[in-house]
Amino acid sequence: MLSIFFSSAPPRLCVIVFLFAAGCGRSAPAAADPPVAAEAGGTREGGSDWPIFLGPNQDSRSPEKGIITKWGDSGLKLVWHAKLGTSYGAPTVATGRLMQFDRFGDKSRLYCLDAETGKELWRHEFPTEYEDLYQYNNGPRCSPVIDGDRVYAYAVDGVLACCRTSDGKPLWQKNLHKEFGVVQNFFGVGSNPVIEGDLLIVMVGGSPPESHKLAPGQLDRVEPNGSGIVALDKLTGEVKYKIADELASYSSLKLATIDGRRWCFAFCRGGLDAFEPASGKIDFQYP
């Protein structure tokens, strides 16, 4: 297995370090998304993917077995390392591809590295002008979401991009802040989306025009407009439903199966909303 160590050091230097831990690697890929070719460095055929923030079950646990626990005096073997841009987002990995989402200058960059060699395979960039109200860094806060042959990146300024995992071809892109009228909160977008069937479910939290007339930072006076949670067709970006009269938080959405029924939980700014992810039917809101 390739272990990921994601570190940051002042002023804003980030480094990924990969350490070889055991004789396991990537999982079998979907038919539409072949693994990285051997000539690009891909060699292993086993192992599990980490396609979303906090892992395949959103609980920070890996199902892999046989990981080396005794490192010896010299520690684990360093395989490769690479400088990153400005970001709070952790990488995700599937079919031998590592996806990272950072800011470089005035560009948000979703890019793909060969997980075994660190070689960049492709990148997709789009402009950003985001500046944090409290001088925190101005890069993305969310991790890429990998789903088969597509990867989704949700930027700090509300731009949501979908690219093909194999070559980075842009498939669709939307600015959810403009579409739903989001007033910039304290630290920008920080809630990772989730995939449920054919839906990409995103915390948005837009506001009516009156709230946009307020001075920056007066968030206690900002009102919601019923777009706390928005579900999009994951293939096209078309809006399928919007629910919850809530403003956005930095808590990522959580899917679960409880007593045979699917749930999605959204810890929004005003409280916890629980709903059926396929339909958007809200079951309860706990302030």
Side-chain angles (χ1 to χ4, degrees):
M1 187 181 86
L2 288 174
S3 297
I4 304 171
F5 285 68
F6 187 69
S7 65
S8 61
R12 285 191 302 199
L13 173 64
C14 296
V15 178
I16 294 181
V17 178
F18 279 73
L19 303 173
F20 185 70
C24 48
R26 60 175 170 271
S27 64
D33 187 24
V36 175
E39 57 267 22
T43 58
R44 294 186 306 279
E45 297 178 352
S48 64
D49 289 337
W50 197 268
I52 191 172
F53 178 61
L54 298 183
N57 298 313
Q58 294 182 277
D59 60 2
S60 293
R61 294 187 178 189
S62 170
E64 294 198 37
K65 306 296 182 182
I67 295 174
I68 294 173
T69 57
K70 295 181 179 180
W71 291 8
D73 294 338
S74 60
L76 295 177
K77 178 183 177 182
L78 173 63
V79 179
W80 61 264
H81 61 89
K83 286 186 178 181
L84 304 180
T86 302
S87 177
Y88 287 118
T92 48
V93 184
T95 61
R97 296 172 174 85
L98 180 144
M99 303 292 176
Q100 180 63 28
F101 188 36
D102 296 336
R103 178 170 177 166
F104 291 85
D106 60 355
K107 302 283 188 182
S108 293
R109 180 187 300 174
L110 172 64
Y111 55 111
C112 175
L113 306 180
D114 184 316
E116 295 184 23
T117 67
K119 176 185 176 182
E120 183 174 314
L121 302 177
W122 56 258
R123 66 175 65 173
H124 172 61
E125 294 183 325
F126 47 91
T128 180
E129 297 180 348
Y130 176 84
E131 292 297 333
D132 190 81
L133 295 178
Y134 299 93
Q135 287 74 57
Y136 284 81
N137 87 38
N138 57 9
R141 281 86 164 104
C142 296
S143 297
V145 177
I146 306 171
D147 180 60
D149 62 349
R150 292 171 182 248
V151 57
Y152 304 89
Y154 195 19
V156 65
D157 52 6
V159 175
L160 180 63
C162 171
C163 293
R164 193 161 61 193
T165 56
S166 58
D167 57 9
K169 177 183 177 181
L171 300 175
W172 57 263
Q173 187 165 301
K174 307 187 75 166
N175 189 321
L176 298 183
H177 277 196
K178 288 184 178 179
E179 185 169 346
F180 294 97
V182 175
V183 175
Q184 182 174 325
N185 57 13
F186 289 103
F187 309 113
V189 171
S191 174
N192 251 82
V194 292
I195 300 284
E196 177 72 7
D198 292 331
L199 297 176
L200 176 67
I201 305 175
V202 186
M203 186 181 293
V204 177
S207 297
E210 294 74 22
S211 292
H212 292 260
K213 300 175 184 178
L214 298 171
Q218 292 187 325
L219 298 179
D220 57 328
R221 299 176 58 190
V222 175
E223 297 293 331
N225 67 358
S227 62
I229 306 297
V230 177
L232 310 170
D233 185 312
K234 69 179 185 181
L235 300 180
T236 66
E238 177 188 357
V239 175
K240 290 299 184 180
Y241 66 73
K242 60 176 184 175
I243 58 172
D245 203 31
E246 294 274 13
L247 298 173
S249 73
Y250 315 106
S251 176
S252 295
L253 301 173
K254 172 64 177 174
L255 294 166
T257 300
I258 302 174
D259 289 336
R261 202 209 109 169
R262 291 293 283 168
W263 291 78
C264 188
F265 298 97
F267 195 13
C268 301
R269 201 179 307 177
L272 177 66
D273 287 70
F275 61 96
E276 184 181 58
S279 67
K281 180 182 179 296
I282 295 179
D283 286 272
F284 67 82
Q285 196 274 346
Y286 187 83

